Amino acid sequence: MSANNAPQPVKLSLPLEYQQHLFQELRAEDELVVIAKGLGLMRLVTNLLHSYDAAGNNLIIVVGAEGNENAWIGEALAESAAISMAPKARGLTVVNTDFTSVGAREKMYAKGGIYSITSRILVVDLLTSLLDPETITGLIVLHADKVIATSLEAFILRVYRQRNKNGFLKAFSDNPDPFTIGFSPLATMMRNLFLRKASLWPRFHVTVASSLEGKKKAEVIELEVTMTDAMRDIQTAIMECVEVSIHEIKKGNTGLEMDDWNLDSALLKNFDVMVRRQLDPNWHRVSWKTKQIVSDLTVLRGLLHSVLALDSVSFLQHLDTIHAAHSPQPGSTRQSQSPWLFLDAAHTIFDTAKRRVYASNAKANAKSSIESLRPVLEEQPKWALLAEILEEIDRDLYFDPPMRDDSNGTILIMCSDTATTRQLRDYLQTMHVEPKAESDAKQNKEEHKASGAFMMRRRLRGYLNWKREFAQVSNALLTENQKALEGAVDPRIAQGTYKGRAPAVKRRRVRGGGATGTAPGRTANGSVAQYFEKPNEVADLMDEVQITEEEANQKADIIADPLEDMDDYFELYEMQNLIVVHAYEGDQDEHILEEVKPRYIIMYEPDASFIRRIEVYRSSHNDRNVRVYFMFYGGSVEEQRYLATVRREKDSFTKLIKERASMSIVMTVDSHGVEDPQEAFLRTVNTRIAGGGRLAATAQPPRVVVDVREFRSSLPSLLHGRNMIIVPCMLTVGDYILSPNICVERKSISDLIGSFKDGRLFTQAETMFQHYKNPMLLIEFDQNKSFTLEPFADLSGNLKSVNPNEVPSDLQSKIVLLTLAFPRLRVIWSSSPYQTAEIFEGLKTQQDEPDPVAAVRAGLDKDMKAEDQAFNLEPHEMLGVVPGVTPKNLKNLTLETDNVREVANMSQAELEPFIGKEAAKQVHWFFNRNLIDIDD
């Protein structure tokens, strides 16, 4: 590699010992780096790229980078080039769907430099030799844990390694979990990546530990916050519901591997995915109850987070929406409620959540109505502690000012999501506002105790108004459904009872009661009833939280924002006066630390990777002192989840180290690069020549013409793996052209349903018959899901159970209609892309090779050259779905107009010459209809 020989005056920003070790390793050889989250993976990548960029004579491709990572790499390379004063450095060029001109890309690649290219564009450019793999100096693969055998990235690496044996290849990942699932996962991953060496860097690695645990350790203060009794009760009740739900799934689905299905693993982020993955192959056989419980688990796990993150009013509102979503429609006769709503624990959750917001003055038994309600508005315990911490920091700065150093003196508060950042911002802005004018003789402690009252009262007012509208909507729905039921002629309802269920009359009585609002209790079928406050109760509550004079003044203060006199009202704050509230954002947090240079960091919620980022930040800068306050609820799910994450990562690395120690050498040199000559000969001599078949003696590998939009799927990669030449083209007719006569339209199940809905499939079948002798429809299933149409059948039965006169709209009947309309259309059923590749191989035997030029010409105007018709994909597809636009008139529109905006602004008269009167009317109506009033 020329990059290694050139003397490079490169200045790197890798201050820590383990970062320098890793950098030297990566410069020396190709390897897969798996590093613990938070140890500065992106910094390592940007320094490595800069070392190649400074040499100036390289063509390096970055694969798998996301949008924010591209921005980061670009910024870091520009900074490094300025610091190193490297005249040859060119920085990063991002090639994505906005930049689709083929000629421009070809020129760019010829110049060299560092390019981050989306996988779909890169794979097409490599296959069409627009980007010659031999000219590439090397590939950098990010998120290597996502490179599975069927992924586009694995396809790219295979094409690259076939044609370029000398270029470097370095892969990075900061997620060790996927490398530990399955049989010898590390070896499999490395085979997909065409690498032989793995380099593992957990937090407990000796070099990492010594780099981060030196003299420059950050000062950390751990603060365990006690949850309120109500919060603990709700959490315990939710955990009970989760436990019962998991037990129910296990009971109903024996024979699955369910060792991991317990409360501990239910706290992990990907638990829902894990359960779905196990059940997917049998999803059509799974009972309705199990499906319901699987979706309930997601809701319940969300509640576990919400009870700690949301304030009491927002949590109650969240519960109300969940209850409404999980109950049958008002007035409906269906019994489809979630099983957890029937548990006593569910009653505890709803009841306790309500008592955190308001309570009754008079002790009332369940039968009598509550006379008056008073607001309770329980505050989150972390708020008071946050106020105390800020006060302590103020005291420290006043009485014991720190030594001048390079940090800004800013206070940085980190929390889990943007909703929490908004909540904290509101709290910090209003925590010193007293809602009622009380004596100022109170000490700090009392003041802070009542500090969230202003914000909470405002939220309760909002909640009560929302609840009033909510009740109105619910009543309107009830009236509508009642009418639908009265007009229905379903024989089951006429008979009066369903099999084995309560009579319809009893249900109707419950419905009436549900809307008027009884005391919080249960409906006749045993589930938790929705509770609507009575008008007089709401009036009492509203009186209690009326806007006081102080609140009115305060509000005006916050909202006033006159922009006329900018200089009078706006100024830049000093950094030491700032409190920055920010949500965790993965690698972007390193940027936050470097930009803000905080003196104090308050971790409002625990996050293992952010702790490491602080360690790296502190160890990298001698002159920046940091004090960290680490807050968590003791004995809460939050604490368990944090500990489980740390433990899980440690276990994953331990497994990886063990596997690497006993792993056989992964042979990656020959990735089907050179075909075995005997195999080539056997392929040319087809054994099936009985019955007058001819001997096909072509030494040319089989060829398949593929539509460029098909590279979203894994099929082109698998066909390439079977030694077929893939020719990517922009096809108007079909997706895969196997021979001059065979054209295949591939549909995944979701795509098939969509094509039937908008009638696109009939048009596609028609055009295929115009240009090819043997058109085929390939219906391809996902290899991990059941090979049956049942789960996808459109049998939701929302109104059909009430109104059987509805036309049946399930998938099977639509496929039958299609075959009746096109009797010569062959339908191929495939259980997975692997089977499809096998079917295609079988179909191609004894067939001539397809002509790419003829395939592209099919469906285009006869007098136009194929190469003149390279349209911009996204706008072209977008116009294609506008009512009135057909594949035939789409051509005229694309050629006569410059962009979608021009089409949208044309009058009906202007559109008519291109697409005809009727179509012009539809297109004009579509672009000019009113968005709000749909009945127009």
Side-chain angles (χ1 to χ4, degrees), residues 300-310 416-417 420 605 641:
L300 288 167
R301 290 171 69 248
L303 280 179
L304 279 174
H305 173 70
S306 304
V307 73
L308 300 177
L310 300 178
S416 60
D417 51 29
T420 316
E605 282 150 318
R641 191 178 284 143

Side-chain angles (χ1 to χ4, degrees), residues 695-850:
L695 182 68
T698 51
Q700 193 67 21
R703 189 166 62 218
V704 178
V705 178
V706 181
D707 185 24
V708 288
R709 284 158 291 207
E710 274 300 300
F711 284 91
R712 292 189 185 108
S713 75
S714 55
L715 185 54
S717 169
L718 296 171
L719 292 172
H720 184 266
R722 286 180 166 265
N723 289 316
M724 293 189 197
I725 293 175
I726 305 293
V727 185
C729 294
M730 176 71 86
L731 299 179
T732 314
V733 180
D735 291 329
Y736 295 85
I737 312 299
L738 304 184
S739 78
N741 296 330
I742 301 177
C743 164
V744 180
E745 179 69 38
R746 175 190 159 276
K747 296 283 179 200
S748 63
I749 296 296
S750 54
D751 201 9
L752 184 70
I753 293 167
S755 302
F756 274 129
K757 269 186 185 158
D758 57 19
R760 196 170 68 232
L761 190 54
F762 286 86
T763 320
Q764 287 170 332
E766 207 174 328
T767 49
M768 285 201 292
F769 273 109
Q770 283 170 10
H771 297 94
Y772 293 96
K773 232 187 238 176
N774 300 325
M776 299 185 183
L777 171 65
L778 163 70
I779 299 173
E780 189 179 83
F781 288 75
D782 188 338
Q783 70 197 65
N784 298 321
K785 298 199 176 167
S786 47
F787 186 24
T788 169
L789 277 177
E790 263 177 65
F792 307 100
D794 194 9
L795 299 167
S796 49
N798 38 9
L799 273 173
K800 267 194 304 216
S801 57
V802 177
N803 189 357
N805 302 335
E806 287 239 331
V807 182
S809 60
D810 72 300
L811 209 47
Q812 282 102 322
S813 58
K814 286 177 179 172
I815 294 171
V816 170
L817 288 172
L818 181 74
T819 50
L820 289 172
F822 301 100
R824 283 178 44 237
L825 180 70
R826 314 261 179 91
V827 181
I828 303 171
W829 298 86
S830 170
S831 61
S832 73
Y834 287 97
Q835 193 184 358
T836 309
E838 211 173 299
I839 293 169
F840 278 14
E841 206 170 25
L843 286 171
K844 277 189 68 62
T845 51
Q846 293 296 313
Q847 295 286 343
D848 294 332
E849 295 303 330

Side-chain angles (χ1 to χ4, degrees), residues 555-793:
K555 215 158 188 187
D557 250 11
I558 294 171
I559 286 173
D561 211 52
L563 295 175
E564 300 90 62
D565 315 309
M566 290 283 286
D567 297 340
D568 298 350
Y569 286 95
F570 290 91
E571 57 174 320
L572 279 174
Y573 278 113
E574 290 290 323
M575 284 304 276
Q576 61 260 35
N577 297 337
L578 274 187
I579 296 179
V580 180
V581 186
H582 203 275
Y584 295 122
E585 266 192 315
D587 285 330
Q588 294 299 314
D589 295 341
E590 283 172 43
H591 263 326
I592 299 295
L593 289 172
E594 292 293 347
E595 299 285 323
V596 178
K597 299 186 203 165
R599 174 79 184 77
Y600 303 96
I601 299 172
I602 301 171
M603 289 178 68
Y604 188 75
E605 282 150 318
D607 182 71
S609 57
F610 188 72
I611 294 171
R612 290 180 196 147
R613 288 183 219 285
I614 296 171
E615 287 182 318
V616 172
Y617 168 76
R618 179 67 189 92
S619 307
S620 304
H621 301 285
N622 283 327
D623 48 357
R624 290 187 194 170
N625 288 314
V626 179
R627 186 194 292 173
V628 184
Y629 294 92
F630 179 80
M631 298 164 77
F632 62 92
Y633 284 117
S636 71
V637 169
E638 184 178 72
E639 183 187 15
Q640 278 175 280
R641 191 178 284 143
Y642 166 71
L643 294 171
T645 311
V646 175
R647 187 172 62 247
R648 193 180 168 86
E649 188 189 75
K650 191 179 173 186
D651 292 348
S652 296
F653 270 115
T654 313
K655 276 185 196 165
L656 276 175
I657 291 164
K658 279 182 185 163
E659 190 189 337
R660 187 180 62 174
S662 60
M663 190 171 66
S664 54
I665 292 178
V666 182
M667 295 306 288
T668 59
V669 183
D670 192 25
S671 53
H672 306 294
V674 180
E675 197 180 1
D676 178 28
Q678 280 183 313
E679 208 164 292
F681 175 72
L682 286 172
R683 194 192 59 244
T684 59
V685 181
N686 194 324
T687 52
R688 292 166 64 184
I689 32 180
R694 61 196 173 79
L695 182 68
T698 51
Q700 193 67 21
R703 189 166 62 218
V704 178
V705 178
V706 181
D707 185 24
V708 288
R709 284 158 291 207
E710 274 300 300
F711 284 91
R712 292 189 185 108
S713 75
S714 55
L715 185 54
S717 169
L718 296 171
L719 292 172
H720 184 266
R722 286 180 166 265
N723 289 316
M724 293 189 197
I725 293 175
I726 305 293
V727 185
C729 294
M730 176 71 86
L731 299 179
T732 314
V733 180
D735 291 329
Y736 295 85
I737 312 299
L738 304 184
S739 78
N741 296 330
I742 301 177
C743 164
V744 180
E745 179 69 38
R746 175 190 159 276
K747 296 283 179 200
S748 63
I749 296 296
S750 54
D751 201 9
L752 184 70
I753 293 167
S755 302
F756 274 129
K757 269 186 185 158
D758 57 19
R760 196 170 68 232
L761 190 54
F762 286 86
T763 320
Q764 287 170 332
E766 207 174 328
T767 49
M768 285 201 292
F769 273 109
Q770 283 170 10
H771 297 94
Y772 293 96
K773 232 187 238 176
N774 300 325
M776 299 185 183
L777 171 65
L778 163 70
I779 299 173
E780 189 179 83
F781 288 75
D782 188 338
Q783 70 197 65
N784 298 321
K785 298 199 176 167
S786 47
F787 186 24
T788 169
L789 277 177
E790 263 177 65
F792 307 100

Side-chain angles (χ1 to χ4, degrees), residues 332-565:
S332 98
T333 53
R334 293 179 67 222
Q335 296 285 305
S336 59
Q337 270 175 301
S338 301
W340 68 276
L341 285 171
F342 294 88
L343 300 175
D344 288 341
H347 186 259
T348 311
I349 296 169
F350 285 90
D351 201 37
T352 317
K354 216 171 289 145
R355 279 191 283 108
R356 288 176 71 199
V357 179
Y358 54 77
S360 58
N361 275 336
K363 285 245 177 186
N365 54 25
K367 295 266 170 78
S368 71
S369 64
I370 297 170
E371 286 309 310
S372 65
L373 298 174
R374 59 183 171 76
V376 177
L377 300 177
E378 179 181 281
E379 294 182 22
Q380 299 295 91
K382 276 188 184 177
W383 293 349
L385 187 65
L386 181 64
E388 270 178 50
I389 293 170
L390 292 173
E391 200 178 314
E392 181 187 311
I393 291 171
D394 273 356
R395 266 204 310 274
D396 273 11
L397 289 171
Y398 186 75
F399 291 116
D400 184 17
M403 299 282 291
R404 290 292 301 148
D405 60 10
D406 192 32
S407 55
N408 280 328
T410 313
I411 300 169
L412 176 64
I413 304 175
M414 297 297 290
C415 46
S416 60
D417 51 29
T418 45
T420 316
T421 58
R422 280 197 296 273
Q423 178 201 91
L424 289 182
R425 186 195 61 203
D426 283 0
Y427 174 72
L428 293 173
Q429 281 174 343
T430 59
M431 66 182 180
H432 292 298
V433 181
E434 292 275 339
K436 293 195 173 75
E438 291 171 11
S439 62
D440 295 329
K442 286 186 175 182
Q443 291 305 307
N444 285 348
K445 199 173 177 190
E446 274 88 9
E447 277 179 29
H448 282 305
K449 205 171 179 186
S451 59
F454 171 80
M455 177 177 87
M456 295 299 285
R457 287 161 68 85
R458 192 163 62 192
R459 293 199 173 194
L460 180 58
R461 282 195 293 275
Y463 169 73
L464 291 171
N465 290 329
W466 171 84
K467 194 72 185 272
R468 193 184 297 141
E469 287 170 23
F470 188 73
Q472 286 167 357
V473 171
S474 190
N475 283 333
L477 271 175
L478 175 66
T479 325
E480 256 177 59
N481 279 7
Q482 209 69 34
K483 283 177 190 165
L485 281 168
E486 281 159 16
V489 286
D490 191 324
R492 293 174 299 175
I493 293 175
Q495 285 162 16
T497 55
Y498 280 107
K499 274 183 238 167
R501 290 190 188 166
V505 186
K506 191 178 281 187
R507 275 198 301 280
R508 193 162 287 132
R509 191 167 69 242
V510 174
R511 284 200 304 276
T516 53
T518 54
R522 294 181 176 277
T523 55
N525 66 3
S527 76
V528 177
Q530 181 85 28
Y531 176 64
F532 290 107
E533 296 81 358
K534 290 183 178 173
N536 63 333
E537 296 171 1
V538 175
D540 287 341
L541 260 180
M542 277 303 231
D543 287 344
E544 284 276 355
V545 289
Q546 275 306 315
I547 300 174
T548 59
E549 198 179 325
E550 289 79 3
E551 287 181 298
N553 294 342
Q554 179 65 22
K555 215 158 188 187
D557 250 11
I558 294 171
I559 286 173
D561 211 52
L563 295 175
E564 300 90 62
D565 315 309

Side-chain angles (χ1 to χ4, degrees), residues 152-389:
L152 265 184
E153 288 76 17
F155 188 8
I156 289 165
L157 298 179
R158 193 186 320 130
V159 175
Y160 169 65
R161 268 290 171 247
Q162 270 184 16
R163 312 249 310 263
N164 184 340
K165 300 280 190 284
N166 304 320
F168 70 74
L169 174 53
K170 302 178 196 309
F172 298 88
S173 172
D174 60 357
N175 182 11
D177 279 2
F179 293 95
T180 58
I181 298 162
F183 177 69
S184 64
L186 182 61
T188 312
M189 283 282 198
M190 288 176 71
R191 205 173 296 116
N192 294 340
L193 291 161
F194 300 104
L195 288 169
R196 285 182 168 205
K197 187 185 172 195
S199 182
L200 309 175
W201 294 80
R203 171 65 180 81
F204 54 81
H205 191 291
V206 180
T207 323
V208 176
S210 64
S211 303
L212 298 182
E213 292 168 9
K215 298 171 194 166
K216 299 174 287 186
K217 280 177 77 172
E219 179 189 353
V220 182
I221 299 167
E222 266 195 29
L223 299 163
E224 184 174 334
V225 188
T226 316
M227 289 191 290
T228 62
D229 293 342
M231 285 168 76
R232 190 173 289 106
D233 292 348
I234 292 174
Q235 183 181 286
T236 313
I238 298 172
M239 292 293 271
E240 192 183 318
C241 291
V242 171
E243 200 166 6
V244 170
S245 300
I246 293 174
H247 179 68
E248 283 293 319
I249 295 184
K250 282 183 169 180
K251 201 166 71 177
N253 301 278
T254 49
L256 291 176
E257 190 188 324
M258 295 183 282
D259 304 342
D260 288 348
W261 295 16
N262 50 37
L263 263 185
D264 262 4
S265 55
L267 302 179
L268 296 171
K269 275 184 188 164
N270 59 353
F271 181 69
D272 318 29
V273 183
M274 193 166 80
V275 172
R276 273 306 295 256
R277 198 187 293 135
Q278 290 259 8
L279 291 171
D280 259 345
N282 301 314
W283 195 245
H284 58 296
R285 294 198 204 107
V286 167
S287 65
W288 170 84
K289 190 177 176 187
T290 303
K291 290 178 184 176
Q292 183 73 47
I293 293 172
V294 170
S295 69
D296 289 344
L297 274 174
T298 311
V299 173
L300 288 167
R301 290 171 69 248
L303 280 179
L304 279 174
H305 173 70
S306 304
V307 73
L308 300 177
L310 300 178
D311 58 85
S312 52
V313 177
S314 305
F315 181 69
L316 182 59
Q317 188 170 347
H318 182 52
L319 272 180
D320 282 345
T321 52
I322 284 174
H323 191 285
H326 284 244
S327 306
Q329 295 170 353
S332 98
T333 53
R334 293 179 67 222
Q335 296 285 305
S336 59
Q337 270 175 301
S338 301
W340 68 276
L341 285 171
F342 294 88
L343 300 175
D344 288 341
H347 186 259
T348 311
I349 296 169
F350 285 90
D351 201 37
T352 317
K354 216 171 289 145
R355 279 191 283 108
R356 288 176 71 199
V357 179
Y358 54 77
S360 58
N361 275 336
K363 285 245 177 186
N365 54 25
K367 295 266 170 78
S368 71
S369 64
I370 297 170
E371 286 309 310
S372 65
L373 298 174
R374 59 183 171 76
V376 177
L377 300 177
E378 179 181 281
E379 294 182 22
Q380 299 295 91
K382 276 188 184 177
W383 293 349
L385 187 65
L386 181 64
E388 270 178 50
I389 293 170

